[in-house]
Amino acid sequence: MANDKIAIFPAAGGLGGSTYNHLLNIVKPEEVILIARYASKIPQKFRDAGLVAREADYDKPETLAHAFDGASCLNLISYASIEHEHRSKVHKDAIDAARRSGVKHIIYSSLAFGGDCEPQSAAHVMQAHLDTEKYLASIAAEDKTFTYTAVRQGLYSESFPIYTAFFDLKNPSDEITVPYDGSGPGIAWAKRDELGEATARLISQYRSSLATFEYVNKTILLSGPRVWSYQESVDVLSKAAGKKVTVKPITVEKFASLPQVTGGSDYGAGESAKFWASAFEGVKNGETAVASPLLAKLLGREPEPFEKTVQEMAKA
């Protein structure tokens, strides 16, 4: 089988789904392999058009053995967790499997902590990404036939709940209680669908001409065009919710015991809440306060402002 296709794994999540929807406006379906835990989640219309749908699971390494066969370029999207060691391991397993299948370039979807692509972060959630970026760089240094692009995806505008103790626009509280007073550095929010679109364009650029592709063996940042301070972000939420909301700083211990945090998602289950609280250290350190022009460059337009995205979410 010729290795000339584009693969996306995992393809059924929000970022993966956005990426392939935009990618299929640029390339033919028969040039694409979508890999998900359940292939049934890949729309039938794309499969009918000639797209290859396969099943593989990060947590079942045996399923990765031939998942990437036929692909020359892989968009590898990170394991959905904030855990460190296991997450790093499964990323490595997927990378190794992809190389055995003949993949020559990996576009890895990382995360926009760590400032302007710095190699360290105070945020626990970033540690597996840093490991994976280093692993890709080490392979490329040893094997000149392999290249990579690590894309630090901006913090999703739509993900504001996990950074605001699960503030609910439909049932807003008076206070946002987090281990941060809201002053100082903030976040260069980016709309998830625009990150998917920009990633699709990166894939297309690589596909069109490796000789002119600007991002070979580089880590790049796709954050929003403006930094919103944490307080400004809360003000946007307050306006969209139609209610005055204040920021109340609390200790990590209190944050980790909040019912809306412990029950909000896997990010707050068990000891995870304390690990997740380290994200606020990253924010306070200015790690998420870097606005990048690259997102606009790839989109060919100005990205959607955080305020507009939140307003649309409030209306939905």
Side-chain angles (χ1 to χ4, degrees), residues 126-181:
M126 190 63 190
Q127 301 313 305
H129 291 295
L130 294 173
D131 289 350
T132 305
E133 290 174 6
K134 291 173 184 175
Y135 186 58
L136 288 166
S138 70
I139 296 170
E142 295 176 1
D143 181 358
K144 300 306 179 184
T145 69
F146 174 82
T147 57
Y148 74 94
T149 307
V151 183
R152 292 197 180 176
Q153 305 280 2
L155 273 60
Y156 304 161
S157 300
E158 301 90 333
S159 73
F160 74 78
I162 63 176
Y163 299 99
T164 55
F166 295 92
F167 181 79
D168 186 349
L169 290 171
K170 306 294 186 181
N171 185 26
S173 57
D174 296 321
E175 294 179 330
I176 289 177
T177 49
V178 293
Y180 184 30
D181 65 8

Side-chain angles (χ1 to χ4, degrees), residues 57 69 98 274 309:
D57 187 338
D69 287 0
K274 289 183 179 180
T309 305

Side-chain angles (χ1 to χ4, degrees), residues 3-316:
N3 281 63
D4 58 1
K5 297 183 186 293
I6 301 160
I8 299 176
F9 171 72
L15 182 62
S18 172
T19 300
Y20 75 67
N21 272 295
H22 288 288
L23 183 64
L24 290 169
N25 289 325
I26 305 172
V27 304
K28 296 177 181 179
E30 57 265 29
E31 299 176 36
V32 179
I33 302 168
L34 298 184
I35 307 158
R37 183 180 297 176
Y38 303 106
S40 59
K41 291 189 175 182
I42 306 302
Q44 186 64 45
K45 65 178 181 178
F46 295 138
R47 288 182 278 170
D48 291 343
L51 178 148
V52 175
R54 293 181 184 153
E55 291 191 348
D57 187 338
Y58 267 129
D59 287 318
K60 297 179 180 177
E62 67 277 7
T63 66
L64 300 173
H66 297 287
F68 310 107
D69 287 0
S72 60
C73 176
L74 167 65
N75 176 206
L76 183 67
I77 299 170
S78 62
Y79 182 80
S81 168
I82 67 167
E83 199 275 339
H84 180 188
E85 287 80 8
H86 178 68
R87 201 179 189 200
S88 295
K89 179 184 182 303
V90 297
H91 289 172
K92 181 178 181 294
D93 289 345
I95 291 165
D96 291 346
R99 293 184 66 217
R100 287 193 293 269
S101 287
V103 168
K104 295 301 181 184
H105 188 81
I106 290 178
I107 294 177
Y108 172 65
S109 290
S110 184
L111 184 62
F113 278 89
D116 193 7
C117 298
E118 297 299 323
Q120 63 275 325
S121 170
H124 181 83
V125 68
M126 190 63 190
Q127 301 313 305
H129 291 295
L130 294 173
D131 289 350
T132 305
E133 290 174 6
K134 291 173 184 175
Y135 186 58
L136 288 166
S138 70
I139 296 170
E142 295 176 1
D143 181 358
K144 300 306 179 184
T145 69
F146 174 82
T147 57
Y148 74 94
T149 307
V151 183
R152 292 197 180 176
Q153 305 280 2
L155 273 60
Y156 304 161
S157 300
E158 301 90 333
S159 73
F160 74 78
I162 63 176
Y163 299 99
T164 55
F166 295 92
F167 181 79
D168 186 349
L169 290 171
K170 306 294 186 181
N171 185 26
S173 57
D174 296 321
E175 294 179 330
I176 289 177
T177 49
V178 293
Y180 184 30
D181 65 8
S183 64
I187 298 170
W189 300 102
K191 186 176 182 179
R192 185 176 65 187
D193 187 58
E194 292 187 333
L195 292 170
E197 181 181 351
T199 302
R201 293 183 182 277
L202 274 174
I203 296 169
S204 177
Q205 286 183 14
Y206 169 80
R207 175 96 168 160
S208 297
S209 176
L210 177 57
T212 60
F213 187 63
E214 300 177 53
Y215 312 110
V216 170
N217 296 341
K218 292 183 179 180
T219 297
I220 60 177
L221 179 64
L222 287 186
S223 61
R226 175 198 159 171
V227 177
W228 298 74
S229 75
Y230 193 85
Q231 183 61 60
E232 286 176 329
S233 300
V234 171
D235 290 344
V236 167
L237 301 179
S238 179
K239 182 179 179 181
K243 185 175 187 177
K244 177 63 177 176
V245 181
T246 59
V247 179
K248 180 181 179 181
I250 58 174
T251 65
V252 168
E253 289 71 23
K254 286 186 177 179
F255 174 80
S257 67
L258 292 173
Q260 68 268 35
V261 172
T262 58
S265 75
D266 290 343
Y267 286 17
E271 291 294 306
S272 295
K274 289 183 179 180
F275 290 133
W276 179 245
S278 65
F280 293 96
E281 283 298 312
V283 174
K284 283 190 281 186
N285 292 346
E287 293 186 28
T288 58
V290 180
S292 167
L294 183 54
L295 181 58
K297 178 182 176 181
L298 289 168
L299 294 174
R301 63 178 188 276
E302 281 301 303
E304 183 171 289
F306 175 64
E307 185 174 28
K308 182 177 179 181
T309 305
V310 171
Q311 289 170 348
E312 292 301 315
M313 291 174 70
K315 295 175 185 176

